Amino acid sequence: MKKASRMNRRGFLSTVCAGTCGAAIHQASYGGSGMFAYGAPPVMGAMSAPGSVFILVNLAGGCSYNITPIYHAAWRDRNPTISRGPENSLALNGEQGLHPAFTYLKQIYDEGNLALINGVGLPSQSRSHDEATTQWFRANGQGGNADGGWAARLTSQAAGSLFSGISLAGTNDLIRGGTNPPRALSDLANFGEDRLYWNDEWTGFFRDTRDSVMAQSSTQQTDGMQFVKSSMENIQRSLEIIKAETSRPLPGIPDAFPNTGFARACQDAAKLIAAPALGVRFIFLQQGGYDTHSNEINSHNNLFGQLHGGLRSLIQTAKALGRWNDVSIATMSEFCRTVENGNGGTDHGAKAPLMLMGGDVAGRVVNPAPSDAEIRAAGSFLSGYDVDFRQIYREAVTRMGFNADLIFPNTISFSPLGLFR
Amino acid sequence: MRTVFDNISAPRPLARGIHLLAIVALCIGLVLVPTDAFAKKRKKKVVRVKLSDIFTIDVSLRSGRKVINQELACYKKKPGRISETRKGLAFNSLDDQLKKMRQAGKQKSKKYKLTARLLKASKKDCANPKFLALTRYKGNFGEKEAKILFERFAFGGSPQQIDRAVRIGLAATVTELTTYQPDARIDAQVADITCDTYLATNPWNGEPDNRNESCNPYYANDFRTDGLRKALSWRMTYSNQPFFDRLFFWLHDERLSVNLSVVGSDERHALATYVGIVDRAARTGDYKQYMRSLNTDHLMALDWLDGAVNRGFNPNENWAREFWELGTTGPSDLNGNPVYSNFDIAQAALAHSGWTFVTEDRTIPGEDDERRFRYASFTPGFHYQGPTTIFGGTPHQAVVYDADDVLEATFRHPSTAESLALDMCHQFIRPDCPAILVRDLAKTIRTENYNLLPAFRRVMMSNAVYANDNRESLIKHPVELLIGFVRQTGINLTVDELDWWLNELDQRPLNPNSVFGWNETALAGESYVLAWRNVVLDIVNGLSPESLLENRGYDMHARYLSDNPSALVAIDRVASGLNIPLNEAQRQALEQYMNFHRTTCRSWHVQSYGCTEGELFLERRQFDSYPQGNWDDKLRPLIGLLAMLPEYRMK
């Protein structure tokens, strides 16, 4: 057996962390909307401007508002041990700042390339991980039946490339559906299929026979079978091309990618950006662990440190490649959290801050942080929403040249926030 | 002001009379006909439906040489079509469509005739859909059906199990599968692996393993966490009671889940207690008792879901929420309405409060030093003293004082049985589960006072499980892939191999990444396709027949080729063992693989094969199944190749 000499493929899969399984469980394709589970939305012709890439970073588990600390007295009072003031955070203005881990992101803000949007959520924001993640991934709106996830609807419009969307955090509702769904990978470094008897001739015949037997299958085409088959076909086509395109070394940057799971995923994202031949337009990254019911301050220091390390090197690489103006990076988290619960943690809440970065982003604090009065009047969490998250992503995809009406149906009435220059 | 009438010349008297008549007729017409017609149009009746209330059927009609396949929706026993509108889904029954065509005088149109035929062909299935029926299956229970039963409820069956099932019939097989009988052999092995991750002796050749240690039975923390995990994988693979292990996996890893790695070394005893709770639930089927036990469980409620820091004066909602969302009612009912509000969760959290963790040093027989223990303790001062109200403003409103009250009120709520039934249906019957089926199953669960075993028996013996429409509709979990592979092929894997390969597939039991457990669809995505292929290749490459025979008593030749069969017979035998249906074209492609070798054309090949030197060509190397033949070169890849097909991922 060659086990010992092989790399542990758990690493290959490990980025599929909390949120992936969480996000995917009870999927609407199973039960709720089975009929439309794998259908196809309308496909537009190739219409997007070449090059621009949208990177969505999911802070899975529900990230609290302390990612962008609020300085109001009410907030400090209600979060006695976990909130921060200007003295121990990176102030953006008189009422709000960034967590101290985000030194490089503060620099990006100072360069005018980071926008902070407060009070982001959606109508009927669920406080269940599963439901809320599904709401954010599918972005259907009330009673909507749009097919699959919004990323799949986006890449359906970028039909020219098989790799227009890549998830570096496995499969989930966000990327399922449509005519050209994003490919689900985990780790480019360990990407590949083993050989039969460690011999190329044997392997080639084996694989060709397998693919031929698969192609001639006449088994009943259930939705599940179609999904499995398409996964198999996709991985087949993706394997060689991606490997070849992403094997080139990245340019040197001031701060090397740290050795964390999230940073490795960021490095893979950088490789995808550095391979324009792949035509990647959407990348999904995920960092789990934000379900901080207790001991939030330590968890945040650790999580934000890793998040910052990965994003810093990714942005530096994009700049070194001369592609920073083509890249937008947006965060998401299925919900925000309550005020401190007495265990140094927070429970499930609603509206949240969202960060958008990019060379073309009109950086600023877009709307004010929740006011002192609002915080005082609130129950244990900030309910409702000030900005529908789809409004933000809608502007980003419009900027990229996509038809946002097809990606975010029933959202046409939003007035622009002016997030891009 | 000029009008259009200005250009019309004045009519003559006769014409004027005709005009007048025409205007009168028009007015009468406007009064009589259009009023009615417009009114009808305005009041066009749209039947709005919810997805959970409909199901679809496939109808095939023959029209000359053509076969017309149509998918129809059924709603309230009527066939029809579904369309998406701005306000949601609209249902248009075939009856109504025919009626409209008749009103429009289109009885002789092709569309009318086709619709009438579709109605005739679908009426019975819509009124009485067998694939959704939990009525007793009375069809043939042959090898095919036995394999479905074992793949869905028992990780897959060995040839012996399938043979026996066919011999004794469906009812007896279900009784055997669902009647728990202690198995001293497997229990001893589980205890042995749990202690130190090793078995004292190789189970196949009896050789002792010198890495094996013994644990102190008086010291509840004296075992390995990874040992417990490995022991459970072992039991799932080799137990004679696979249904209970499948049920264990469903209860723990697919519903309300906890990751075993959260506990410290001073509270490892909580792992064993937790596994005991899930085991008891699987073996007795008593779901209510299961949730009662979890309500105060150190690992699940108190540690993993923060129950031990939930104070009456400072509540933490985590357990209160997941108790409902993942453990009992689910967040919404079958009509999509929320079962509970955030206020209900806050109220329930108060009722659940009162637990905390305490640490103390204890003297243990057989241990030199005192050992530290962390355990859960109920502290009345931490418990919210007053009553709270849950499910407020609904018919299920209840005043509760503690966790037991919450449990009782929750199990009186109809959504608890429905949520369980929905999950059972998704996992064991079909991915989309209409309300008709769920409500029927929920009724059984309620009637049996939340004992799941009768409900499982009913499902296992139902038409729904064996209906053609539901076959190949469920995606196997990676655990089912690997354990099923071992059970079906009989290739014995060691404790470490099982754990290693389950890790490669990112699904080690009791190690889910979140409280939601696993999702088989996510685990069938592209990266996992690759992971499974590589695991299969690891097995094929790494386990030679010689080593299997020598170390594990597994005779691959005897299992598949004892009668020295042809390549085609061997192919059919392996495919049948893995429950993969092959068509003729697939068999031929595989036969070619078995009887040829693809290699580079060398100078000595040119004359015999007419190939071009340096290019790949197929050289005939007849499959030889005799013990001294080349059978191993092709048999192992054949097994691997079939296990990689999409059909093997489905059940």
Side-chain angles (χ1 to χ4, degrees):
Chain A
M1 291 262 295
K2 285 208 149 189
K3 271 187 345 193
S5 63
R6 284 195 33 225
M7 280 204 67
N8 184 349
R9 226 174 267 106
R10 174 147 178 86
F12 172 80
L13 299 167
S14 64
T15 47
V16 187
C17 53
T20 302
C21 292
I25 204 162
H26 299 312
Q27 280 155 6
S29 59
Y30 268 54
S33 59
M35 275 184 71
F36 305 102
Y38 304 100
V43 181
M44 301 296 294
M47 55 190 298
S48 46
S52 53
V53 181
F54 186 80
I55 301 175
L56 183 65
V57 181
N58 182 22
L59 311 180
C63 181
S64 91
Y65 230 111
N66 293 320
I67 187 171
T68 54
I70 301 170
Y71 301 154
H72 297 311
W75 185 259
R76 303 298 305 270
D77 290 346
R78 303 195 67 182
N79 295 273
T81 70
I82 59 173
S83 62
R84 292 172 184 276
E87 71 287 355
N88 58 359
S89 66
L90 307 166
L92 299 179
N93 55 31
E95 58 182 22
Q96 195 174 18
L98 292 176
H99 187 277
F102 297 126
T103 49
Y104 187 74
L105 298 192
K106 174 65 168 46
Q107 186 185 319
I108 296 297
Y109 176 82
D110 293 339
E111 288 168 8
N113 292 144
L114 186 150
L116 168 63
I117 306 106
N118 280 297
V120 181
L122 68 166
S124 308
Q125 167 84 53
S126 170
R127 293 169 69 201
S128 139
H129 289 292
D130 169 39
E131 283 186 348
T133 307
T134 303
Q135 285 175 328
W136 278 72
F137 280 174
R138 291 176 73 91
N140 268 335
Q142 290 282 66
N145 284 310
D147 172 66
W150 72 261
R153 298 199 289 272
L154 182 151
T155 51
S156 290
Q157 292 184 40
S161 168
L162 186 64
F163 311 109
S164 52
I166 302 275
S167 163
L168 290 162
T171 305
N172 56 41
D173 254 6
L174 174 73
I175 63 165
R176 193 165 307 137
T179 51
N180 182 33
R183 307 274 89 87
L185 313 176
S186 289
D187 177 358
L188 295 177
N190 297 308
F191 194 49
E193 189 175 349
D194 288 350
R195 296 183 305 158
L196 174 66
Y197 296 152
W198 306 285
N199 176 296
D200 286 339
E201 280 182 358
W202 282 87
T203 302
F205 193 27
F206 175 86
R207 286 184 191 166
D208 288 349
T209 306
R210 179 190 67 202
D211 298 343
S212 151
V213 172
M214 200 173 118
Q216 295 177 85
S217 161
S218 52
T219 316
Q220 183 172 211
Q221 293 302 299
T222 58
D223 282 355
M225 177 69 99
Q226 278 173 15
F227 173 72
V228 167
K229 272 189 172 173
S230 77
S231 293
M232 291 185 174
E233 285 159 8
N234 288 339
I235 200 73
Q236 206 78 4
R237 283 179 288 174
S238 308
L239 273 168
E240 293 309 320
I241 304 172
I242 290 185
K243 201 157 197 176
E245 286 296 321
T246 57
S247 56
R248 287 185 284 273
L250 289 172
I253 50 173
D255 300 293
F257 284 93
N259 187 24
T260 66
F262 180 73
R264 281 192 291 275
C266 286
Q267 190 169 20
D268 285 344
K271 286 179 182 171
L272 293 171
I273 294 170
L278 290 176
V280 176
R281 308 299 308 278
F282 175 87
I283 298 171
F284 178 67
L285 300 171
Q286 182 164 277
Q287 185 194 22
Y290 285 93
D291 196 15
T292 48
H293 284 278
S294 55
N295 197 19
E296 180 173 292
I297 208 145
N298 287 339
S299 302
H300 272 184
N301 288 341
N302 181 33
L303 288 165
F304 293 152
Q306 291 185 19
L307 178 67
H308 174 257
L311 290 179
R312 179 187 57 198
S313 303
L314 174 59
I315 294 169
Q316 287 176 354
T317 309
K319 284 180 171 180
L321 289 165
R323 300 214 55 203
W324 178 226
N325 285 347
D326 301 332
V327 174
S328 313
I329 304 172
T331 59
M332 69 157 279
S333 194
E334 64 263 36
F335 46 64
C336 198
R337 307 188 71 83
T338 60
V339 294
E340 192 170 339
N341 61 11
N343 312 131
T346 50
D347 296 327
H348 301 186
K351 66 182 180 184
L354 190 151
M355 286 190 274
L356 177 69
M357 292 156 263
D360 229 8
V361 168
R364 66 198 190 279
V365 178
V366 175
N367 55 336
S371 67
D372 201 74
E374 183 186 353
I375 296 164
R376 284 191 198 287
S380 62
F381 67 100
L382 297 163
S383 58
Y385 68 104
D386 304 322
V387 178
D388 188 315
F389 77 95
R390 294 167 298 175
Q391 193 170 358
I392 300 160
Y393 300 154
R394 193 185 163 88
E395 279 193 50
V397 302
T398 303
R399 179 75 174 179
M400 294 168 78
F402 292 106
N403 182 342
D405 294 345
L406 295 175
I407 301 171
F408 301 106
N410 312 318
T411 58
I412 301 162
S413 58
F414 291 145
S415 51
L417 294 165
L419 297 172
F420 293 88
R421 291 200 180 87
Chain B
M1 194 172 75
R2 285 180 65 83
T3 69
V4 288
F5 298 107
D6 294 340
N7 295 330
I8 302 170
S9 56
R12 283 172 294 183
L14 180 60
R16 196 182 297 151
I18 295 168
H19 282 170
L20 197 65
L21 271 174
I23 290 167
V24 170
L26 185 65
C27 290
I28 293 169
L30 279 171
V31 168
L32 294 179
V33 184
T35 310
D36 191 33
F38 293 155
K40 271 191 178 169
K41 202 162 189 178
R42 274 200 305 273
K43 290 181 183 171
K44 187 181 172 188
K45 201 178 163 190
V46 177
V47 182
R48 305 248 172 252
V49 292
K50 288 179 179 151
L51 263 181
S52 60
D53 290 331
I54 56 169
F55 57 89
T56 57
I57 56 170
D58 293 319
V59 181
S60 284
L61 291 180
R62 190 167 283 281
S63 174
R65 286 184 184 176
K66 264 175 56 182
V67 177
I68 302 165
N69 292 311
Q70 289 243 348
E71 186 183 62
L72 294 173
C74 299
Y75 175 64
K76 291 191 173 170
K77 301 191 174 186
K78 283 185 179 172
R81 293 189 174 92
I82 288 288
S83 55
E84 279 185 83
T85 68
R86 276 175 173 264
K87 291 181 180 171
L89 295 178
F91 178 78
N92 192 2
S93 75
L94 295 186
D95 266 338
D96 286 348
Q97 289 172 31
L98 287 171
K99 199 173 157 189
K100 273 177 205 157
M101 282 192 264
R102 277 199 300 273
Q103 282 170 349
K106 292 179 180 171
Q107 289 96 320
K108 289 184 179 170
S109 68
K110 273 187 180 176
K111 193 177 172 189
Y112 182 89
K113 286 176 186 165
L114 177 66
T115 308
R117 286 182 66 197
L118 282 172
L119 176 65
K120 194 176 171 190
S122 58
K123 221 170 181 174
K124 201 175 154 192
D125 277 350
C126 270
N128 182 23
K130 272 201 164 177
F131 61 95
L132 299 178
L134 295 176
T135 46
R136 182 80 171 261
Y137 174 71
K138 289 179 181 163
N140 177 48
F141 185 72
E143 200 177 303
K144 206 188 240 172
E145 288 73 23
K147 284 175 179 167
I148 291 172
L149 181 70
F150 274 82
E151 282 200 343
R152 290 193 170 201
F153 297 94
F155 296 112
S158 67
Q160 295 82 354
Q161 283 171 318
I162 301 298
D163 283 350
R164 178 171 167 75
V166 172
R167 215 169 48 245
I168 65 176
L170 174 60
T173 305
V174 168
T175 304
E176 267 190 14
L177 277 172
T178 57
T179 306
Y180 180 73
Q181 288 173 336
D183 181 346
R185 175 193 60 93
I186 202 83
D187 288 347
Q189 288 178 338
V190 164
D192 192 5
I193 298 168
T194 301
C195 172
D196 56 4
T197 78
Y198 301 112
L199 280 168
T201 54
N202 179 323
W204 302 294
N205 64 13
E207 283 180 13
D209 188 333
N210 56 17
R211 297 169 298 182
N212 192 64
E213 295 168 5
S214 55
C215 290
N216 182 350
Y218 298 103
Y219 182 24
N221 288 334
D222 190 16
F223 65 90
R224 295 263 300 258
T225 304
D226 56 343
L228 185 62
R229 187 189 68 228
K230 288 177 180 182
L232 289 167
S233 303
W234 179 266
R235 194 177 72 185
M236 285 180 188
T237 313
Y238 296 111
S239 141
N240 289 327
Q241 307 258 286
F243 167 72
F244 295 101
D245 290 302
R246 183 65 187 84
L247 194 48
F248 181 104
F249 184 72
W250 179 63
L251 286 172
H252 173 271
D253 289 77
E254 297 174 56
R255 282 183 64 80
L256 186 57
S257 295
V258 57
N259 191 311
L260 292 197
S261 61
V262 297
V263 298
S265 58
D266 56 354
E267 54 184 345
R268 210 176 282 139
H269 59 91
L271 304 180
T273 305
Y274 171 75
V275 167
I277 289 171
V278 189
D279 263 341
R280 202 156 51 242
R283 290 165 189 180
T284 62
D286 190 341
Y287 194 78
K288 192 173 173 184
Q289 178 56 40
Y290 172 60
M291 289 309 299
R292 183 178 287 121
S293 305
L294 288 189
N295 243 342
T296 55
D297 180 53
H298 179 132
L299 181 65
M300 172 66 85
L302 305 182
D303 194 345
W304 177 241
L305 292 171
D306 298 306
V309 290
N310 175 25
R311 305 276 180 268
F313 49 86
N314 204 347
N316 185 308
E317 299 173 352
N318 210 7
W319 169 246
R321 180 183 295 278
E322 305 304 0
F323 173 82
W324 277 337
E325 179 172 340
L326 298 174
T328 51
T329 61
S332 46
D333 66 16
L334 293 177
N335 295 321
N337 302 315
V339 174
Y340 47 82
S341 66
N342 287 316
F343 182 72
D344 290 327
I345 290 173
Q347 296 285 290
L350 294 173
H352 282 291
S353 64
W355 288 86
T356 191
F357 286 130
V358 178
T359 303
E360 71 178 22
D361 294 328
R362 292 180 185 171
T363 306
I364 312 284
E367 299 292 315
D368 295 336
D369 303 317
E370 285 193 324
R371 299 290 178 181
R372 181 150 291 184
F373 268 83
R374 188 167 187 251
Y375 60 93
S377 164
F378 186 80
T379 306
F382 292 166
H383 179 63
Y384 182 74
Q385 295 302 326
T388 66
T389 303
I390 57 172
F391 305 130
T394 74
H396 316 290
Q397 178 171 317
V399 174
V400 296
Y401 283 82
D402 57 25
D404 234 26
D405 290 348
V406 174
L407 181 107
E408 291 299 335
T410 302
F411 277 83
R412 283 196 299 271
H413 199 294
S415 286
T416 299
E418 286 170 0
S419 170
L420 264 168
L422 184 65
D423 209 14
M424 273 176 80
C425 175
H426 283 164
Q427 290 295 330
F428 298 98
I429 302 176
R430 53 185 278 128
D432 49 332
C433 299
I436 179 181
L437 195 160
V438 176
R439 291 202 173 101
D440 191 7
L441 187 53
K443 203 171 154 191
T444 303
I445 293 171
R446 270 193 296 269
T447 308
E448 298 293 340
N449 197 23
Y450 293 92
N451 188 322
L452 299 182
L453 293 184
F456 267 104
R457 287 188 193 112
R458 188 169 176 220
V459 170
M460 291 158 101
M461 290 200 278
S462 70
N463 276 303
V465 164
Y466 305 98
N468 272 331
D469 296 74
N470 296 339
R471 289 186 184 180
E472 313 282 348
S473 66
L474 298 175
I475 299 174
K476 287 180 191 169
H477 280 268
V479 157
E480 291 179 297
L481 278 178
L482 186 66
I483 292 178
F485 184 81
V486 174
R487 284 184 172 272
Q488 288 166 331
T489 60
I491 293 177
N492 299 321
L493 300 185
T494 64
V495 175
D496 283 339
E497 284 167 351
L498 276 172
D499 192 60
W500 171 271
W501 281 318
L502 287 174
N503 188 38
E504 298 285 278
L505 296 169
D506 206 27
Q507 196 179 38
R508 289 192 294 201
L510 302 169
N511 233 29
N513 291 315
S514 80
V515 69
F516 317 114
W518 312 101
N519 177 272
E520 66 283 351
T521 313
L523 293 172
E526 292 166 25
S527 47
Y528 295 94
V529 169
L530 204 54
W532 172 240
R533 285 182 179 177
N534 286 333
V535 165
V536 169
L537 281 168
D538 263 3
I539 296 173
V540 168
N541 285 335
L543 300 180
S544 70
E546 296 79 24
S547 72
L548 285 171
L549 187 60
E550 190 181 331
N551 300 320
R552 312 184 192 188
Y554 177 74
D555 190 340
M556 189 178 272
H557 188 272
R559 186 171 189 105
Y560 290 107
L561 308 174
S562 58
D563 52 349
N564 306 318
S566 66
L568 260 184
V569 172
I571 290 164
D572 289 342
R573 199 167 283 167
V574 175
S576 165
L578 295 172
N579 195 19
I580 295 172
L582 292 175
N583 60 33
E584 202 42 46
Q586 290 174 308
R587 291 174 79 232
Q588 280 173 17
L590 288 167
E591 190 184 19
Q592 176 181 273
Y593 178 76
M594 300 292 275
N595 287 326
F596 288 85
H597 179 64
R598 192 163 75 181
T599 188
T600 308
C601 180
R602 308 283 179 210
S603 55
W604 57 89
H605 292 127
V606 173
Q607 200 175 353
S608 349
Y609 290 98
C611 56
T612 308
E613 203 171 331
E615 286 183 351
L616 290 172
F617 81 108
L618 290 182
E619 179 186 18
R620 186 159 197 104
R621 280 194 203 165
Q622 191 72 28
F623 175 70
D624 182 353
S625 60
Y626 282 83
Q628 61 275 26
N630 65 359
W631 60 272
D632 175 41
D633 286 350
K634 291 297 171 75
L635 183 64
R636 275 194 283 164
L638 173 69
I639 295 170
L641 194 156
L642 290 170
M644 289 182 192
L645 294 181
E647 285 80 357
Y648 193 64
R649 286 226 71 141
M650 308 304 297
K651 58 183 178 179

